[in-house]
């Protein structure tokens, strides 16, 4: 661990931008001919830092970016070159339309009021305004209901003023490859596209890419897979891990068999043990549900987290390490390639997405690679 810079924080989060860019390239390489690969960088690039992630992906060749909120798009605009398109999944809230134009954000229009407001601004500005139109094909979350979409596209001037970049929808269960909803959504999306001939289509998230060429259309929108989350349930992950989290040891102690540990004494040593207190807790997004369930790692050995995770600390049973191997100031791996976001999520009873987006703001962060000049 000699490559570790000294940190004053409780942990070091390393973010491998080279692995991230490799993941983007390998997803792109899977696409049907003619399809482009965007990058979803909402929620601060799933917690990894949109201001570093998006420019690295731009340098790798990505030109289409998606955020959730208008303010995320406004923050992203200055860190990306002018030819990068920034799309806002939620579209503008009423009154934010001009902000979108000012910052050259392309909204996803999800409802008839959003369509009408965008058209109203186009009239005011006497311009065609770019947008993506979302039609709901099964999620029942965002996008026009199918009958609204039919009604809108039935009249010739239904989309007047809008330079439609893509017709878009979103998959419900793409990570479950044999789920019947996938095929149903594909059929509905194809039916929707038939009503807007010549308009490009965008359906697939990360997992949707792995459903095959039929799902790729003109633009795919991976997020999680870029950051190393496994895209297909029950199959080996073809993507590279992007994060490593190393927590700093505050103290070690010897305890006798029968000693109980931490809040509420949820763990009791069955043998004479050595334990280490690490400066990472649930306030850092290291979820409390990992209490007595998570593992730390050192020298290839898995070490159980024992007792309840506290706000700022957790406790690791280091008895299986040689005496003296770990002391104050040393680092234990809390997320590494062999204990990655999906493995941690499984132990915590959640999904890799939530592990990533919970990553703490208190960690020292180190970015590796990314092709910066
Ligand atoms: C978040 C999101 C994505 C990215 O999904 P992943 O599963 O992370 O690849 C794509 N499209 C929409 C509409 C989203 O909300």
């Amino acid at each position: 661990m000699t490559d570790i810079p000294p940190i004053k924080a409780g942990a070091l989060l390393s973010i491998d931008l080279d692995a991230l860019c490799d993941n983007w390239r390998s997803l792109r390489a899977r696409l049907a001919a003619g399809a482009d690969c965007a990058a979803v960088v909402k929620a601060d690039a799933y917690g990894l830092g949109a201001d570093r992630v998006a420019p690295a992906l731009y340098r790798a060749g990505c030109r289409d970016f998606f955020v959730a909120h208008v303010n995320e798009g406004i923050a992203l605009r200055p860190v990306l070159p002018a030819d990068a398109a920034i799309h806002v999944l939620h579209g503008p809230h009423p009154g934010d339309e001009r902000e979108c134009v000012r910052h050259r954000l392309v909204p996803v229009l999800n409802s008839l009021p959003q369509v009408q407001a965008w058209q109203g601004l186009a009239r005011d500005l006497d311009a065609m305004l770019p947008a993506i139109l979302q039609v709901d094909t099964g999620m029942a979350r965002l996008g026009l209901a199918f009958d609204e979409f039919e009604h809108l596209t039935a009249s010739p001037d239904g989309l007047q003023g809008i330079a439609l970049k893509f017709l878009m929808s979103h998959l419900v269960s793409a990570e479950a490859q044999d789920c019947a909803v996938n095929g149903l959504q594909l059929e509905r999306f194809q039916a929707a596209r038939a009503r807007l001939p010549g308009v490009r289509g965008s359906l697939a998230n990360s997992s949707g890419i792995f459903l095959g060429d039929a799902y790729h259309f003109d633009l795919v929108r991976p997020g999680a897979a870029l950051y190393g989350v496994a895209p297909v349930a029950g199959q080996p992950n073809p993507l590279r891990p992007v994060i490593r989290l190393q927590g700093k040891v505050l103290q070690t102690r010897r305890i006798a068999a029968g000693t109980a540990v931490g809040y509420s004494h949820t763990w009791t040593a069955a043998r004479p043990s050595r334990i280490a207190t690490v400066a990472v807790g649930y306030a850092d997004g290291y979820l409390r549900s990992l209490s007595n369930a998570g593992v730390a790692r050192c020298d290839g050995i898995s070490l159980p987290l024992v007792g309840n995770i506290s706000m700022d600390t957790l406790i690791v049973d280091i008895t299986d390490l040689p005496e003296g191997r770990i002391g104050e100031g040393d680092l234990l791996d809390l997320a590494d390639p062999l204990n990655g976001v999906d493995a941690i999520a499984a132990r915590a009873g959640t999904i890799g997405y939530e592990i990533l987006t919970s990553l703490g703001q208190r960690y020292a962060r180190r970015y590796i690679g990314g092709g910066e000049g």
Side-chain angles (χ1 to χ4, degrees):
M1 295 194 188
T2 48
D3 59 331
I4 301 301
I7 54 164
K8 294 191 176 63
L12 176 65
L13 178 64
S14 300
I15 296 164
D16 187 342
L17 296 175
D18 287 336
L20 169 93
C21 291
D22 276 355
N23 289 343
W24 183 80
R25 281 185 285 262
S26 86
L27 292 172
R28 187 183 54 175
R30 288 174 184 271
L31 300 183
D36 285 332
C37 193
V40 179
V41 295
K42 62 192 180 187
D44 201 24
Y46 292 45
L48 301 190
D51 59 336
R52 303 298 298 270
V53 161
L57 290 172
Y58 181 92
R59 286 189 288 275
C62 184
R63 292 295 178 269
D64 287 285
F65 297 84
F66 285 83
V67 294
H69 304 287
V70 170
N71 64 352
E72 291 180 326
I74 292 173
L76 193 59
R77 186 77 270 175
V79 306
L80 284 174
D83 64 335
I86 301 175
H87 306 98
V88 180
L89 288 166
H90 293 181
H93 301 299
D96 287 347
E97 293 81 9
R98 283 176 189 271
E99 286 287 282
C100 283
V101 173
R102 184 172 310 129
H103 297 277
R104 288 187 304 105
L105 308 177
V106 176
V108 176
L109 304 176
N110 293 301
S111 67
L112 291 177
Q114 278 190 330
V115 170
Q116 285 150 9
W118 200 240
Q119 287 175 314
L121 183 57
R123 264 196 312 277
D124 291 352
L125 299 177
D126 193 20
M128 293 284 283
L129 294 182
I132 294 177
L133 183 66
Q134 175 153 224
V135 60
D136 178 41
T137 54
M139 183 76 115
R141 182 179 73 168
L142 288 171
L144 300 188
F146 215 89
D147 58 334
E148 292 176 320
F149 174 76
E150 280 178 333
H151 186 75
L152 187 75
T153 50
S155 77
D157 56 356
L159 289 166
Q160 208 173 32
I162 297 176
L164 199 53
K165 290 187 67 182
F166 295 96
L167 178 67
M168 173 185 136
S169 196
H170 191 45
L171 294 166
V172 170
S173 296
E175 72 290 345
Q177 294 204 317
D178 48 6
C179 182
V181 178
N182 294 320
L184 215 69
Q185 288 194 274
L186 179 61
E187 277 172 32
R188 288 185 189 144
F189 190 60
Q190 281 162 337
R193 291 200 73 213
R195 299 183 65 87
L196 289 173
V199 174
R200 290 181 293 169
S202 177
L203 179 63
N205 63 340
S206 298
S207 301
I209 294 169
F210 293 78
L211 292 175
D213 289 8
Y215 289 79
H216 296 167
F217 295 96
D218 300 291
L219 185 73
V220 298
R221 308 184 307 272
L226 297 173
Y227 311 112
V229 173
V232 185
Q235 282 187 27
N237 188 349
L239 299 154
R240 292 183 60 187
V242 172
I243 66 157
R244 181 179 184 189
L245 178 65
Q246 296 162 281
K248 197 190 251 183
V249 173
L250 296 170
Q251 318 196 323
T252 60
R253 68 179 66 234
R254 284 172 193 287
I255 55 172
T259 305
V261 164
Y263 281 123
S264 308
H265 279 177
T266 59
W267 182 81
T268 302
R271 57 178 175 171
S273 302
R274 281 174 287 119
I275 58 176
T277 304
V278 177
V280 169
Y282 62 75
D284 301 294
Y286 216 77
L287 305 183
R288 191 165 173 278
S289 52
L290 289 164
S291 298
N292 295 306
V295 294
R297 293 174 48 79
C298 181
D299 300 340
I301 298 173
S302 283
L303 306 162
L305 269 52
V306 294
N308 277 345
I309 294 178
S310 320
M311 186 181 294
D312 312 301
T313 53
L314 55 80
I315 299 172
V316 179
D317 182 352
I318 58 169
T319 315
D320 288 344
L321 290 178
E323 286 265 5
R325 169 65 186 85
I326 285 292
E328 184 183 345
D330 287 336
L331 296 171
L332 287 173
D333 274 308
L334 296 174
D336 69 359
L338 288 172
N339 181 36
V341 287
D342 291 299
I344 296 169
R347 292 174 183 279
T350 183
I351 54 175
Y353 295 68
E354 192 177 29
I355 299 298
L356 286 175
T357 55
S358 300
L359 285 170
Q361 294 305 316
R362 290 195 290 187
Y363 300 147
R365 289 181 175 221
R366 176 176 61 151
Y367 288 90
I368 300 162
E372 228 158 342

